[in-house]
Amino acid sequence: MGYKNLKFENNALFLVTGGAGFIGSNLCGAVLDMGYRVRCLDNLSTGKREHVSMFQGHRNYTFLEGDITDPETCVKACEGVDYVLHQAAWGSVPRSIEMPQYYEKVNIGGTLNMMEAARKQGVKKFVYASSSSVYGDHPQLPKREGQEGKVLSPYALTKRVDEEYGRLYKTLYELDTYGLRYFNVFGRRQDPDGAYAAVIPKFIRQLLNDERPVINGDGRQSRDFTYIENVIEANLKACLAPPEAAGEAFNVAYGGREYLIDIYRQLAEALGKDVEPVFGPERAGDIRHSNADISKAKRMLGYEPEWSFERGIEAAIQWYKENI
């Protein structure tokens, strides 16, 4: 179970793009803990330098400061690499609505640069971050691969296009690509600051500071919140998946469904706070309900998530208490 007993070649080299970010830095740490080599590529536009410095004394870790929008940097980063874990992207649905051209450049152009570099350098597996946002306005629950609606934001569109390139790079160039549709990932080192911060760390920080958090809409939106350990497992198991599974996209979640208002109440209780939230307007481009069918990832990747929402939120609360 999990990922810590997975075996790769001796001296295997993993490239983690966006390795100074929340998910990327957790992937770097997991691979290092397993005894393999990590090369981190990040331009530090949204990632944090402390997520690099925490590993820089490790003999198996190297940091390459560079941008995925530069094709030469991507080729250099892929040199000698066995597995690419491509996390570098600009996130946030609301921000993408404000900056569609930039999202096109980074999330589509940068991912295409990375796939091409991986192909040229003979990388074995190319695992990349997609998003549950690709389901768009399709009403079905749970969300199932192959049943997508119209995308609701430029961010969602960039991830949809990335998946199409992933399919083409498998069929045209025999690069084994695996797209991971993350569902609302949370956990240690997720940034609670800024206008586009994810809801769980933002709620925790505001409650710890006795501030009144803002809930967009009525709080009855539901999400399949997914703890970071499950995401690490999916990435590493995709690196060991058979070529027959390549070119596909997979839901990465726990398979649960939590309502925002319930999560808020749970966090307030766990932190011993009696603070009423403020209800604000709904955010443009947001999906109302999200819940994943993870049977495809189980069947084709051997994905068996161990971290429920309840277990994950306990660990996250403890981490934020100690670190913010």
Side-chain angles (χ1 to χ4, degrees):
M1 299 292 285
Y3 62 85
K4 294 181 181 178
N5 293 323
L6 297 178
K7 299 297 182 186
F8 297 90
E9 311 90 291
N10 289 337
N11 218 30
L13 175 58
F14 290 75
L15 170 65
V16 181
T17 72
F22 157 49
I23 295 176
S25 65
N26 275 286
L27 286 168
C28 289
V31 173
L32 291 171
D33 287 345
M34 294 168 70
Y36 302 107
R37 295 183 295 150
V38 171
R39 181 180 297 152
C40 167
L41 173 65
D42 204 299
N43 68 354
L44 300 175
S45 61
T46 59
K48 294 187 173 183
R49 192 166 288 279
E50 56 260 41
H51 292 166
V52 174
S53 59
M54 65 191 298
F55 299 121
Q56 281 196 303
H58 200 294
R59 62 185 178 85
N60 283 338
Y61 179 87
T62 56
F63 174 59
L64 177 61
E65 187 169 347
D67 199 310
I68 59 171
T69 62
D70 177 45
E72 290 184 9
T73 295
C74 297
V75 171
K76 179 182 177 183
C78 286
E79 186 175 353
V81 166
D82 298 295
Y83 305 99
V84 171
L85 305 178
H86 176 54
Q87 314 300 309
W90 268 52
S92 171
V93 164
R95 185 167 55 191
S96 76
I97 294 172
E98 298 170 9
M99 306 168 61
Q101 290 171 300
Y102 192 74
Y103 274 69
E104 168 89 15
K105 178 182 177 182
V106 176
N107 292 8
I108 296 177
T111 297
L112 180 57
N113 287 341
M114 284 303 309
M115 287 185 187
E116 181 65 7
R119 178 181 76 88
K120 287 178 176 176
Q121 296 285 27
V123 166
K124 294 171 185 173
K125 304 281 186 181
F126 187 96
V127 183
Y128 63 95
S130 185
S131 167
S132 60
S133 65
V134 301
Y135 287 105
D137 65 358
H138 198 289
Q140 177 178 307
L141 291 177
K143 304 296 184 184
R144 188 170 292 120
E145 300 92 341
Q147 297 177 335
E148 297 83 18
K150 295 176 183 175
V151 296
L152 300 176
S153 67
Y155 172 75
L157 179 59
T158 66
K159 294 300 186 179
R160 179 79 66 83
V161 174
D162 288 348
E163 290 185 0
E164 287 299 309
Y165 270 120
R167 182 181 61 80
L168 285 173
Y169 265 73
K170 171 60 179 176
T171 57
L172 296 177
Y173 309 117
E174 287 299 311
L175 177 66
D176 283 355
T177 65
Y178 303 83
L180 304 182
R181 292 179 178 174
Y182 297 157
F183 280 69
N184 297 90
V185 187
F186 73 98
R188 59 184 176 268
R189 297 204 287 274
Q190 190 173 29
D191 192 355
D193 293 322
Y196 305 110
V199 64
I200 287 178
K202 197 167 189 176
F203 282 174
I204 292 173
R205 161 161 272 187
Q206 289 171 325
L207 283 166
L208 287 172
N209 292 337
D210 293 314
E211 299 169 8
R212 294 182 69 189
V214 175
I215 296 178
N216 297 109
D218 61 6
R220 300 307 299 168
Q221 311 94 304
S222 63
R223 296 288 183 268
D224 196 334
F225 285 98
T226 310
Y227 190 61
I228 184 63
E229 287 291 306
N230 297 334
V231 171
I232 296 170
E233 178 196 339
N235 273 270
L236 294 175
K237 285 188 172 176
C239 291
L240 296 173
E244 299 83 61
E248 300 279 339
F250 304 89
N251 290 341
V252 174
Y254 186 72
R257 187 178 176 194
E258 313 294 333
Y259 292 89
L260 288 190
I261 189 63
D262 294 339
I263 289 173
Y264 176 77
R265 303 286 184 212
Q266 185 175 346
L267 291 173
E269 182 178 355
L271 296 168
K273 301 292 183 178
D274 185 16
V275 180
E276 281 300 309
V278 177
F279 292 93
E282 292 186 8
R283 295 195 315 182
D286 267 1
I287 294 172
R288 176 74 174 169
H289 296 294
S290 188
N291 166 236
D293 179 333
I294 57 174
S295 57
K296 182 180 177 183
K298 286 184 172 183
R299 185 176 71 254
M300 300 181 77
L301 303 181
Y303 175 62
E304 292 287 346
E306 295 182 331
W307 285 75
S308 66
F309 173 76
E310 291 74 20
R311 184 183 176 194
I313 202 68
E314 285 182 16
I317 289 170
Q318 188 60 38
W319 188 89
Y320 283 105
K321 279 183 174 178
E322 295 171 359
N323 289 276
I324 65 173

